[in-house]
Each structure stands twice: as structure tokens, then as C-alpha cells.
């Protein structure tokens, strides 16, 4: 404590002279600090963009669910590697993605914890004189846990209701506001197409980021009416039900191209299958097993795609991290440029104030006093620029979020780092001018 008090009393006058010099040359000091201001602002805004991107990826992982695999139908691509010829390969027939595929995945692969088939159709929900376009989605009860979907009231449909194909539904927030704004929707009925379904639960509204895409299995639930998948197939539409004549025609290759275009070919029964594995380490191996199993069930035809959203998002996060490092490095260059600017101005200031230096040395100021004076001046300029830069950085981050729609998060860590770097720049780049000032000869200084 005594040592600190001694240093304060010893060099207080030197620091005071530095403050007076800054205040006496306000414009020059402000222009000197500009480089630090913009450098700190750039660092804070870039770190805010990086943190926002990281947070967005974490939110997307929550939306797609942990350890999930998404199986979706695609255009038919025949694997003729094991076939005897192209003529034989074209005669193969795949039923597409079906409920039996989902059941086989659940019952066959030990690492699979939960499975939910998904069927989506566009309908109009009707109640009284009101009509509203909705997405009718058929799923299993496990679907809500797979995608971390919570309810604000009621319950999800039970396994017994799902197996029996009961007309029960869980509705999204927009549908509740549209039809049941002033009453409790639980137990009420709503009409979809020609079928009345009973509302048993209401889904909690959740934020849906613009970058969350369908290929990751993410979609908003606000405009959805979710029913058991068997209810969807029994009471609404089952795309796997086709005429035997059409099935026979397609299995033969469908004739010429014109006939194929005019014939209602069989479609996939399901729009996707969501699979959850026990542990993250089993994601890749389980995805490969699912691919091989479905390929065998679909007559060696690649009419499906297996996606691991979490791995894609983690890869995206790695790409974002690299991008943020590059942005941070570019922003840091402006801090170095600002430091060089401080050093140049301070070197010029040494020559301008050479009489002042000589006078102080002549009346007893030591070299340490001169170093502390000029080092304090450069550090105060840099720190002041850093503080203004912090404010600019926060404002820039907010403007980027508002104008560009990019998620930005300013953290205390980025502010502390930016402030610390600005102070360090003032010390590092101010030391050489301070040392040069301290080395001035008193006699020569006074003569000048």
C-alpha cells in the first residue's frame, strides 16, 4: 500500500501535465484517437456478430432437437451398380418413404431411441363462419419431444389415441388466436376438410429464426394442426393408396415419357422421418445404417436423403468461428494502424515540445518523469479513444441488427478485451516517443 501511495505522489504531477497537454490540444488529441475509436468499434461489432451467429446456431440445435436424424424423400435415383443392365434397373420399383420404413428403423436399430413419421398437407381450418389456411401434420406422440415442442395448455395425444387413429389434435398459437381468442380451446372441435377434430393441447409459441431451413427439419408450429399420423392416413389422405393398374404401369417403367407425365404416379406416403439416437457418438454410424436399410427396402433406389442436422450445424458453427477470427483479425489491423498514428503524433510532439522537456529536465525532472509524462499522454489518448469506440461499437452492433437483420450480441468479454487492447496499444506505441523525449539533452533542448 505504501508503495502504491509513493508512486501516486511521485508521478501525480507528471500525469497532470499529460492531461493538461491533451486538453490544450483537443483537436489534435481527438484526431490522434480516431484510429483507436474505429478500431475498438470494429472489434466490438465483429465480436457481436460472431456471438450472435453462435447463439443462432445453438438455438437452431434446440429447434431440431439433440441427436436427431432427418430422412426425407427425394427424386428417384436408381443405383445400377449391382444390376445386370440398365434395362433391368429401370424396372425396379420403390414404394417411397412409408410408415413401414419408420417402424423398421425403430424396431431394428438398437441405437435409435425415438422415431416419428411426419405427413404434412395444406388444409383450411373451419369453425363457424371463419376459415383459416393451416398446415395439417400427422406425427407420432414422440414428435413433440424430438423437436422440443412445449405446450401452454392441455396435453399431447396419447399412444392409444395415436394407434386407434382418433380425431384429436394439438393446435398452434396462431390457430388458437384465430378461433379461440376469448375461450379455452381444450375440448373444443375444429373442422379440417370434411373431418372434425378435437383439440387436446395448444403449442407454446416460440421464436423461429429466418435462417432455420426445412432441410434441417425446422418449421414453425404456429400455423399447424398436429394429429396422430394414423389419423392423417385413415381420415384425411394416404398418398400410398393407388390403383393397381397405375402401380403395374409404373413398375414396368411407365411406357414412354409422355405417358409418365400424364399418369398419377405413386407418391411418398411420408414427408419425412425424424429419428433420435441415444448418444451423439452414434449419429454418423446410425445415419449410415439407416441409409443402407432404406436402400435395401427401396430396391436399391436412392429416393430418400438422410441428413444429420446437428452435424451440419456444428460444421456451420466451425465455419462461423473461422469467419469471425478473420473478421476480428481485420478489425484488429485498424487498432494497429491507430497505434502507429499515436506513435507518429507523439514523436512529432516531442520535437514541438523540446523546450518544455529541456526546462523540466533543468529544474530537476528525471528521465522517468519525462517517460511517465509522455507515456501517460499516449495512454490517456488511447484509453479515451477506446471508451468512445466502445460506445460506437455498441451502436454499430445495434444498427447492424436493425438494418441487416443479423443477430448481434455484445458481451462484457468483448468490451473488456477492447478496452484492454486500447490501453495496451497506448502503452506499447507510446513508449518509443516517451523514451525519445527522455533522451533529449537538457542543454541542446534549451538552445533549440
Amino acid at each position: 500500500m505504501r508503495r502504491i501511495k509513493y508512486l501516486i505522489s511521485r508521478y501525480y504531477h507528471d500525469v497532470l501535465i499529460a492531461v493538461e497537454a491533451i486538453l490544450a490540444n483537443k483537436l489534435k488529441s481527438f484526431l490522434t484517437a480516431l484510429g483507436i475509436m474505429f478500431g475498438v468499434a470494429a472489434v466490438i461489432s465483429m465480436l457481436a456478430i460472431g456471438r450472435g451467429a453462435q447463439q443462432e446456431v445453438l438455438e437452431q440445435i434446440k429447434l431440431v432437437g439433440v441427436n436427431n436424424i432427418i430422412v426425407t424423400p427425394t427424386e428417384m435415383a436408381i443405383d445400377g451398380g449391382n444390376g445386370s443392365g440398365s434395362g433391368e434397373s429401370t424396372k425396379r420399383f420403390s414404394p417411397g418413404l412409408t410408415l413401414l420404413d419408420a417402424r423398421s428403423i425403430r424396431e431394428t436399430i438398437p441405437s435409435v431411441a425415438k422415431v416419428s413419421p411426419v405427413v404434412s398437407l395444406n388444409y383450411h381450418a373451419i369453425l363457424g363462419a371463419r376459415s383459416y389456411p393451416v398446415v395439417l401434420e400427422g406425427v407420432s406422440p414422440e414428435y413433440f419431444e424430438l423437436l422440443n415442442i412445449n405446450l401452454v395448455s392441455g396435453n399431447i395425444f396419447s399412444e392409444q389415441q395415436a394407434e386407434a387413429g382418433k380425431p384429436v389434435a394439438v393446435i398452434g398459437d396462431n390457430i388458437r388466436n384465430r378461433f379461440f381468442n376469448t375461450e379455452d380451446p381444450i375440448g373444443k372441435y375444429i373442422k379440417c376438410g370434411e373431418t372434425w377434430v378435437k383439440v387436446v393441447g395448444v403449442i407454446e409459441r416460440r421464436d423461429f429464426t429466418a435462417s432455420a431451413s426445412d432441410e434441417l427439419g425446422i418449421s414453425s408450429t404456429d400455423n399447424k394442426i398436429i394429429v396422430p399420423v394414423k389419423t392423417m392416413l385413415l381420415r384425411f389422405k394416404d398418398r400410398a393408396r393407388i390403383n393397381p393398374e397405375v402401380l403395374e404401369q409404373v413398375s414396368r417403367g411407365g411406357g414412354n415419357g409422355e405417358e409418365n407425365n400424364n399418369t398419377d404416379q405413386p407418391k411418398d406416403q411420408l414427408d419425412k422421418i425424424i429419428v433420435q439416437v441415444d448418444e451423439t457418438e452414434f449419429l454418423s454410424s446410425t445415419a449410415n445404417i439407416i441409409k443402407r436399410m432404406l436402400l435395401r427396402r427401396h430396391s436399391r433406389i436412392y429416393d430418400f436423403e438422410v441428413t444429420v442436422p446437428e452435424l451440419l450445424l456444428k460444421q456451420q458453427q466451425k465455419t462461423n468461428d473461422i469467419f469471425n477470427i478473420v473478421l476480428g483479425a481485420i478489425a484488429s489491423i485498424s487498432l494497429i494502424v491507430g497505434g502507429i498514428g499515436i506513435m507518429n503524433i507523439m514523436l512529432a510532439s516531442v520535437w514541438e515540445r523540446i523546450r518544455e522537456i529541456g526546462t523540466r529536465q533543468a529544474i530537476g525532472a528525471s528521465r522517468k518523469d519525462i517517460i511517465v509524462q509522455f507515456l501517460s499522454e499516449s495512454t490517456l489518448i488511447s484509453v479515451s479513444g477506446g471508451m468512445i469506440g466502445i460506445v460506437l461499437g455498441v451502436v454499430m452492433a445495434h444498427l447492424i441488427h436493425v438494418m441487416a437483420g443479423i443477430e448481434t450480441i455484445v458481451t462484457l468479454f468483448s468490451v473488456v478485451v477492447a478496452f484492454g487492447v486500447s490501453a495496451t496499444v497506448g502503452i506499447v506505441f507510446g513508449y518509443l516517443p516517451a523514451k525519445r523525449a527522455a533522451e533529449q539533452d537538457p542543454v541542446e533542448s534549451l538552445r533549440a
Side-chain angles (χ1 to χ4, degrees):
M1 183 61 69
R2 287 183 179 180
R3 179 65 175 172
I4 295 176
K5 288 182 178 180
Y6 168 75
L7 290 175
I8 293 174
S9 61
R10 173 72 175 79
Y11 296 108
Y12 172 76
H13 187 65
D14 301 323
V15 176
L16 190 61
I17 293 174
V19 173
E20 291 175 351
I22 294 173
L23 295 176
N25 300 277
K26 297 183 182 67
L27 181 59
K28 185 179 75 171
S29 301
F30 176 76
L31 294 176
T32 304
L34 274 180
I36 300 298
M37 292 180 198
F38 290 116
V40 169
V43 169
I44 288 180
S45 57
M46 292 303 101
L47 289 177
I49 292 174
R51 177 62 179 170
Q54 183 182 15
Q55 184 65 30
E56 192 170 346
V57 170
L58 294 176
E59 290 298 325
Q60 288 181 6
I61 290 178
K62 290 180 182 178
L63 288 174
V64 301
V66 181
N67 300 340
N68 284 358
I69 299 172
I70 310 295
V71 184
T72 53
T74 60
E75 295 291 333
M76 287 190 179
I78 299 174
D79 176 18
N82 296 328
S84 58
S86 59
E88 181 181 343
S89 297
T90 55
K91 291 182 181 180
R92 299 176 187 169
F93 170 73
S94 170
L97 209 59
T98 66
L99 202 58
L100 290 176
D101 292 330
R103 187 176 301 169
S104 297
I105 292 172
R106 182 198 301 271
E107 296 175 352
T108 306
I109 305 176
S111 58
V112 170
K114 299 178 180 66
V115 176
S116 176
V118 179
V119 182
S120 297
L121 295 172
N122 293 322
Y123 269 84
H124 271 80
I126 303 170
L127 186 62
R130 289 168 291 179
S131 176
Y132 188 69
V134 299
V135 176
L136 187 65
E137 197 162 76
V139 301
S140 74
E142 295 175 331
Y143 173 83
F144 299 90
E145 188 174 352
L146 285 170
L147 298 185
N148 299 311
I149 297 175
N150 299 318
L151 303 185
V152 291
S153 62
N155 299 287
I156 64 172
F157 39 81
S158 64
E159 288 286 351
Q160 292 76 12
Q161 290 173 324
E163 285 297 321
K166 296 293 184 179
V168 291
V170 178
I171 63 174
D173 187 69
N174 288 347
I175 298 169
R176 178 190 62 176
N177 294 335
R178 178 74 177 183
F179 295 108
F180 307 102
N181 193 27
T182 59
E183 58 181 328
D184 184 6
I186 306 301
K188 303 294 192 304
Y189 285 84
I190 189 170
K191 189 177 183 182
C192 291
E194 301 298 325
T195 304
W196 288 88
V197 293
K198 181 181 179 181
V199 178
V200 295
V202 179
I203 300 172
E204 178 184 40
R205 192 177 192 90
R206 60 178 180 174
D207 295 331
F208 180 66
T209 57
S211 59
S213 59
D214 288 336
E215 66 181 9
L216 296 177
I218 309 172
S219 59
S220 175
T221 57
D222 296 333
N223 291 317
K224 286 183 178 179
I225 294 180
I226 301 178
V227 300
V229 64
K230 287 192 175 180
T231 302
M232 172 74 85
L233 299 178
L234 292 173
R235 298 175 183 270
F236 291 93
K237 186 174 182 180
D238 187 352
R239 289 173 298 206
R241 294 178 183 175
I242 58 173
N243 296 327
E245 294 81 3
V246 176
L247 176 61
E248 184 179 356
Q249 181 181 6
V250 174
S251 65
R252 290 201 309 264
N256 55 40
E258 185 177 353
E259 288 182 61
N260 284 337
N261 292 334
N262 296 330
T263 303
D264 292 328
Q265 296 186 16
K267 300 179 181 179
D268 295 272
Q269 187 182 35
L270 305 181
D271 289 299
K272 69 177 70 170
I273 300 174
I274 305 176
V275 182
Q276 186 180 82
V277 300
D278 294 317
E279 301 292 342
T280 304
E281 61 189 43
F282 299 141
L283 274 172
S284 297
S285 58
T286 304
N288 291 330
I289 294 172
I290 291 173
K291 186 181 296 184
R292 292 198 299 268
M293 173 189 292
L294 294 180
L295 189 61
R296 184 173 63 252
R297 291 180 56 84
H298 291 205
S299 304
R300 305 295 300 175
I301 296 177
Y302 277 110
D303 57 350
F304 60 89
E305 183 178 8
V306 180
T307 306
V308 184
E310 186 173 353
L311 296 183
L312 291 178
L313 289 171
K314 286 183 178 179
Q315 182 61 42
Q316 178 185 340
Q317 187 171 5
K318 289 181 181 178
T319 305
N320 287 340
D321 291 341
I322 295 173
F323 181 67
N324 294 331
I325 291 172
V326 173
L327 287 179
I330 294 173
S332 300
I333 292 175
S334 59
L335 280 174
I336 297 175
V337 173
I340 294 173
I342 289 177
M343 185 171 63
N344 288 336
I345 297 298
M346 292 301 297
L347 283 172
S349 179
V350 170
W351 294 109
E352 291 174 359
R353 297 157 62 185
I354 199 166
R355 284 183 177 274
E356 174 192 337
I357 296 170
T359 301
R360 290 205 65 198
Q361 290 177 330
I363 61 176
S366 65
R367 288 192 172 186
K368 284 185 178 180
D369 291 317
I370 304 299
I371 290 176
V372 169
Q373 175 190 337
F374 279 84
L375 197 59
S376 298
E377 189 172 334
S378 64
T379 303
L380 286 172
I381 291 174
S382 182
V383 168
S384 301
M387 294 175 68
I388 298 173
I390 289 171
V391 177
L392 286 177
V394 174
V395 173
M396 286 174 58
H398 179 69
L399 289 176
I400 290 171
H401 174 66
V402 172
M403 301 179 67
I406 299 174
E407 184 69 24
T408 56
I409 300 175
V410 179
T411 61
L412 179 62
F413 172 77
S414 64
V415 172
V416 172
V417 167
F419 183 81
V421 169
S422 66
T424 303
V425 166
I427 295 173
V428 171
F429 287 91
Y431 179 74
L432 180 61
K435 186 173 180 293
R436 182 70 58 86
E439 291 173 350
Q440 298 300 313
D441 183 79
V443 177
E444 294 296 329
S445 299
L446 290 173
R447 286 178 181 175

